Amino acid sequence: GESVGLHLPTLSVQEGDNSIINCAYSNSASDYFIWYKQESGKGPQFIIDIRSNMDKRQGQRVTVLLNKTVKHLSLQIAATQPGDSAVYFCAENIPGGSEKLVFGKGTKLTVNP
Amino acid sequence: AAGVIQSPRHLIKEKRETATLKCYPIPRHDTVYWYQQGPGQDPQFLISFYEKMQSDKGSIPDRFSAQQFSDYHSELNMSSLELGDSALYFCASSYGDYQETQYFGPGTRLLVL
């Protein structure tokens, strides 16, 4: 079936740098996307979401970009901190059914002090 | 702010036993989702409920069943447990069922021996 996928399984950055985590989705009908952060042994934590009628949305230190033309989603984290170290998942909602989320393969972000 | 509550947090069972996982959504949330996450995997949707009615079903084995009660809490019943059922089970809740943010609980870690 169709699913969301990530380009890189791991990403290592220096503290203070900006991080960019990418996600490619395959279902052009998807209209709602969410980024989650998951720390070891914990539940996914909501970071930011974006609807398909937008191409950019900003939060606190995070920005999500949506490129529907190439079906690409990215999460930018500014001034990455050690506490940002976690696995990041993008998830998509495909309309027509319930609001279940289809998760991509996570990217493990490691922030080096 | 109140979060999703799941119990138990950890559960150890033998093969062929049964297990019941409970989920208490955020107050006022009327939609509950269950996801299963294997080691190193992304969460996979199992089943969801909106206003106490099943709204969608994913890759949930026939050995599993779930329901949402009048107070909106949900229970996932798992019978004839198999080794492969060992995983993290997350419950998420939202208010409404259309492009509403799903907030995840801390999960129940099930180990089947």
Side-chain angles (χ1 to χ4, degrees), chain B residues 56-77:
Chain B
D56 201 358
K57 199 170 182 179
S59 50
I60 182 170
D62 292 340
R63 300 177 288 108
F64 294 6
S65 64
Q67 57 182 322
Q68 186 179 32
F69 294 86
S70 58
D71 64 351
Y72 295 102
H73 94 272
S74 178
E75 294 184 4
L76 177 65
N77 300 293

Side-chain angles (χ1 to χ4, degrees), chain A residues 4 31-32 34 36 38 40-46 49 51-52 89 93 95 97-106, chain B residues 9 33 35 37 41-45 48 55-58 88 90 96-107 109:
Chain A
V4 178
D31 60 359
Y32 180 52
I34 308 176
Y36 285 95
Q38 187 176 28
S40 181
K42 296 185 178 180
Q45 177 187 353
F46 170 83
D49 60 2
R51 289 172 171 76
S52 59
F89 291 98
N93 172 250
S98 72
E99 297 305 295
K100 68 182 180 190
L101 295 175
V102 176
F103 282 80
K105 301 305 179 187
Chain B
R9 294 294 311 279
Y33 308 82
Y35 293 85
Q37 186 178 31
Q41 302 296 312
D42 54 287
Q44 295 288 320
F45 171 75
S48 62
S55 55
D56 201 358
K57 199 170 182 179
L88 271 168
F90 290 106
D97 69 343
Y98 179 68
Q99 291 191 359
E100 297 298 333
T101 303
Q102 294 182 29
Y103 294 93
F104 282 74
R109 184 176 293 278

Side-chain angles (χ1 to χ4, degrees), chain A residues 2-102:
Chain A
E2 297 184 89
S3 64
V4 178
L6 295 175
H7 294 305
L8 296 172
T10 62
L11 178 64
S12 183
V13 301
Q14 291 298 124
E15 181 178 358
D17 287 352
N18 296 333
S19 302
I20 300 176
I21 301 173
N22 295 304
C23 175
Y25 65 94
S26 57
N27 196 318
S28 57
S30 294
D31 60 359
Y32 180 52
F33 306 86
I34 308 176
W35 280 101
Y36 285 95
K37 170 187 179 183
Q38 187 176 28
E39 296 174 275
S40 181
K42 296 185 178 180
Q45 177 187 353
F46 170 83
I47 301 173
I48 193 167
D49 60 2
I50 188 167
R51 289 172 171 76
S52 59
N53 60 351
M54 305 171 69
D55 53 20
K56 180 179 180 179
R57 190 164 189 220
Q58 290 184 289
Q60 188 176 17
R61 282 201 306 118
V62 294
T63 301
V64 55
L65 298 177
L66 175 63
N67 186 329
K68 295 182 287 294
T69 302
V70 295
K71 292 184 286 187
H72 184 267
L73 195 67
S74 68
L75 176 71
Q76 300 178 1
I77 305 174
T80 315
Q81 304 167 0
D84 295 326
S85 294
V87 176
Y88 289 81
F89 291 98
C90 64
E92 66 178 327
N93 172 250
I94 304 169
S98 72
E99 297 305 295
K100 68 182 180 190
L101 295 175
V102 176

